[in-house]
Amino acid sequence: MSTLSWLVLLLAFLIGVASLALAGMPPVTPAQVRRPRRALRLRVALFVAGVAVTLTVPAVASARALAAGPAPSLPLTLLVSVLPWLLLLGLGAAIAWLASANEPLALSFRQQLADLVPMATRRDVHRGFTVVHFDDERPIACAAPGRPREILVSSAMSTLLDERQLTAVIAHEYAHLRGRHAAILRCAELTTRLAPARWRGRAFIGPVRLLIELAADDAAARQIGPAELANALARVGRATGEVALVYRAECIARRRWPVARRRRAPRAFALQTATR
């Protein structure tokens, strides 16, 4: 294989690595705050492209090296024959290790949901999800992906917010379910474990987590109304002391939004039954 071909493959590999870095490392800019869903889709695309390129280039290089000459040397033949399998084996081992390392987080989340469900006081079944109301003195709202898809809302949250504000919060959680944000966040968490130590933590996963929340805010504001969502976030932020909620409310207030007549809740919001 010519030197030029090797350089092209090396460049492609470096581009793949750079795509992975760009998917997680850069901070969230004001432009991304204004278009969070677009920015999140771009980061996901960069991540997928980076993984595909970094896994494909070594295999292509091995295949081209085998086909380059009529009689490659035995060491080269062994190298290019075994390298793809070693890469696949290493990838499988890395995925297994990452899954086992991240399993306590998943088990903890599922246990928290299991502890909340027995306290349910009402279930509102909509077309696309079920809102589970439960007693708790903390203002809580969270999405539980799976089958069936559920949104858990505490009694304190229902008491703290008015009807429109609570609907906006539910729309925010539904955006997490519809956008499969839990899977995106899990990939970001697993990728963080592979990153160098100085890139871990908020410098790596922080931008993805923030964009996920801003993207859900964007969807809920367009469906229910920016004022309702901003007021809900600010009220919950003041009640819990979470500065991030107040910041997100300010981001919503600073943006321009479509007029009210263009807002429409998804069909999945249609209530089918309400049981106690």
Side-chain angles (χ1 to χ4, degrees), residues 123-193:
R123 293 177 179 270
D124 297 338
V125 181
H126 298 260
R127 284 188 177 183
F129 58 93
T130 299
V131 178
V132 181
H133 298 268
F134 65 96
D135 282 329
D136 198 291
E137 60 184 10
R138 298 164 297 174
I140 298 174
C142 62
R147 290 290 182 268
R149 298 191 295 183
E150 294 181 336
I151 296 175
L152 281 65
V153 179
S154 69
S155 55
M157 181 70 80
S158 300
T159 303
L160 181 64
L161 306 179
D162 62 31
E163 183 178 355
R164 289 287 295 177
Q165 293 170 353
L166 184 61
T167 302
V169 170
I170 293 174
H172 170 95
E173 299 301 332
Y174 176 69
H176 284 319
L177 295 174
R178 189 175 183 180
R180 293 179 172 83
H181 292 168
I184 297 175
L185 186 59
R186 187 175 177 85
C187 289
E189 290 172 345
L190 295 177
T191 305
T192 300
R193 294 179 180 270

Side-chain angles (χ1 to χ4, degrees), residues 55 58-59 62 78-94:
L55 293 180
S62 300
L78 292 176
L79 176 63
V80 297
S81 299
V82 174
L83 181 59
W85 296 105
L86 290 178
L87 289 172
L88 290 176
L89 180 62
L91 176 63

Side-chain angles (χ1 to χ4, degrees), residues 54-66:
T54 52
L55 293 180
T56 302
V57 167
V60 172
S62 300
R64 289 183 64 86
L66 273 179

